[in-house]
């Protein structure tokens, strides 16, 4: 029996972990035992517990309750806690998802005591090192033994960095194996889509009509913390709603919620609050989010996960970042990168309004990425 230790902490990691946990429970429970460590990076019920309840993820075996803090302090506390658990549990490997401080802490703790690292969502690059996530991903990939790239581009990025396309085992820190395997979030979207249709009432509850509203999310640190950018984003949202008489619903990340009143001009802040077409709501559950995505006319976001889900559910997407690591979305023509530029955002919206047909080619696998990953772990980790 393989003992596998999963590190989660931030909302998107909890959701990603659901895909593997589900497959372990249904197909590999005789071969893999999963120990889940929650770092506590996200801790509000609607940023954490709701996903365990709704997505049937086993209760974490450990919670480090690290909470919020500066990058250094938060990551250091996590490293200390994860190291202690690794020494006690002696797992065969550790699983890291994506690019958060929780992933980085797992990478540092495990690599120093030679626990093999499996990195899921490997190879993603924005080529912008001012983004904390870019540093985290490069560091995680650099010490991983099995690297699962969700897209062709991510796989190619690893090859460009010197990872071998083909090599033979046994695989190790010094002889890592890279795969192009599809995206576990695509697995999740397929699995939970029908359940969301059946269970979620959020569209009706918010008086939204199918295909007649915009879904927006904003949480990237540069967008929330830089007043010029945050003001430009909300000016664009306000104008689009008024000029098109379209509702815009914004499930708001706690980081953004805390900074709106501080970083928006007082005039814009009160305009947004009194604009009846703009509805700011608390973070929603994953099933609710899927329902909002599936029924929207268009999605505007700076989230990595949400821009992909827009594509999974065949919606055009305005990417509120200077660049994206999911370049395939832009190449397909269904997503436009506008950065936090008011006129570019409005231009993109106008373009999408006029577009009759979008292309959504198969870019993210066949919905079985988690199963593939489990099989490779069983084959290659001793
Ligand atoms: C983190 C990840 C980011 C990911 C995002 C997903 C890093 C460096 N960033 O960003 O890659 O896209 O999660 O949502 O790891 N807060 C609360 N309650 C919570 C969690 C956070 O109030 O449950 C507030 C705190 O004020 C905190 C702030 O949000 O300081 C930021 O949280 P943090 O986890 O540091 O970064 P995120 O912006 O969430
Ligand atoms: N999400 C959610 N509720 C929300 C906002 C997002 O369930 O209110 C989900 C979303 O569907 C996606 C994931 O959270 O699966 C994305 O997380 P986030 O945007 O916080 O982080 P990122 O993907 O940018 O790292």
């Amino acid at each position: 029996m393989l003992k596998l230790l999963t590190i989660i902490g931030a909302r998107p990691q909890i959701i990603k972990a659901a895909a593997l946990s589900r497959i372990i429970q249904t197909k590999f429970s005789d071969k893999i035992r999963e120990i889940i460590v929650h770092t506590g990076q996200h801790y509000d019920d609607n940023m954490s517990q709701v996903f365990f309840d709704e997505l049937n993820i086993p209760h974490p075996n450990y919670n480090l309750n690290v909470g919020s803090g500066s990058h250094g302090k938060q990551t250091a506390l996590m490293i200390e806690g994860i190291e202690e658990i690794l020494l006690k549990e002696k797992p065969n490997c550790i699983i890291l998802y994506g690019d958060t401080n929780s992933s980085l802490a797992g990478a540092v703790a495990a690599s120093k005591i030679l626990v093999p690292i499996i990195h899921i969502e490997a190879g993603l690059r924005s080529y912008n090192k001012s983004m904390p996530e870019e540093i985290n991903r490069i560091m995680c990939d650099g010490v991983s033994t099995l690297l699962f790239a969700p897209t062709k581009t991510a796989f190619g990025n690893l090859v460009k960095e010197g990872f071998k396309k083909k090599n033979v085992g046994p695989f190790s820190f010094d002889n890592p194996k890279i795969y192009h395997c599809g995206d576990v979030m695509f697995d999740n979207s397929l699995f939970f889509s029908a359940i969301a249709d059946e269970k979620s009432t959020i569209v009706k509850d918010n008086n939204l009509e199918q295909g007649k509203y915009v879904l927006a999310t904003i949480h990237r640190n540069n967008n929330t913390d830089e007043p010029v950018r945050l003001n430009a984003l909300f000016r664009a949202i306000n104008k689009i709603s008024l000029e098109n008489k379209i509702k815009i619903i914004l499930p708001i990340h706690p980081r953004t919620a805390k900074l709106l009143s501080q970083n928006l001009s007082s005039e814009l802040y009160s305009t947004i609050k009194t604009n009846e077409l703009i509805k700011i709501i608390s973070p929603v559950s994953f099933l609710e989010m899927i329902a909002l995505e599936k029924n929207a006319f268009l999605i505007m976001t700076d989230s990595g996960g949400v821009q992909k889900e827009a594509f999974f559910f065949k919606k055009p997407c305005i990417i509120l970042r200077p660049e994206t690591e999911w370049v395939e979305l832009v190449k397909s023509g269904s997503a436009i990168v506008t950065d936090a530029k008011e006129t570019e955002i409005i231009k993109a919206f106008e373009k999408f309004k006029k577009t009759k047909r979008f292309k959504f080619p198969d870019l993210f696998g066949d919905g079985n990425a988690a199963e593939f990953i489990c099989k490779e772990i069983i084959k290659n980790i001793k």
Side-chain angles (χ1 to χ4, degrees), residues 10-12 41-44 47 68-69 71 74 99-102 132-133 136 219-220 253-255 258:
R11 168 170 68 188
Q41 177 170 351
H42 286 173
Y43 43 85
D44 292 345
M47 294 294 287
S68 305
H71 286 279
Q74 188 184 52
D99 51 21
T100 71
N101 287 347
S102 297
E133 292 82 1
N136 293 345
H219 79 278
R220 288 261 94 80
H253 189 290
R255 167 182 211 119
K258 284 175 191 163

Side-chain angles (χ1 to χ4, degrees), residues 11-13 15-16 42 46-47 51 54 99-100 133 185 217 219-220 251-253 282-287 289-290 293 301-306 309:
R11 168 170 68 188
Q13 294 172 315
I15 299 172
K16 285 167 201 167
H42 286 173
N46 58 21
M47 294 294 287
F51 303 108
E54 192 178 62
D99 51 21
T100 71
E133 292 82 1
M185 282 308 295
T217 77
H219 79 278
R220 288 261 94 80
I252 202 158
H253 189 290
S282 300
V284 297
S285 77
F286 187 55
L287 294 183
M289 192 62 182
I290 290 184
E293 290 167 344
T301 188
D302 61 7
S303 158
V306 177
E309 287 162 6

Side-chain angles (χ1 to χ4, degrees), residues 62-83:
Y62 298 89
N63 193 325
L64 301 173
N65 291 311
V66 159
S68 305
S70 68
H71 286 279
K73 191 167 175 197
Q74 188 184 52
T75 313
L77 286 170
M78 292 177 192
I79 295 173
E80 190 182 356
I82 295 170
E83 182 184 60

Side-chain angles (χ1 to χ4, degrees), residues 166-179:
K166 286 198 175 127
N167 53 344
V168 287
F171 302 116
S172 66
F173 286 98
D174 294 316
N175 183 34
K177 170 74 181 162
I178 62 173
Y179 303 88

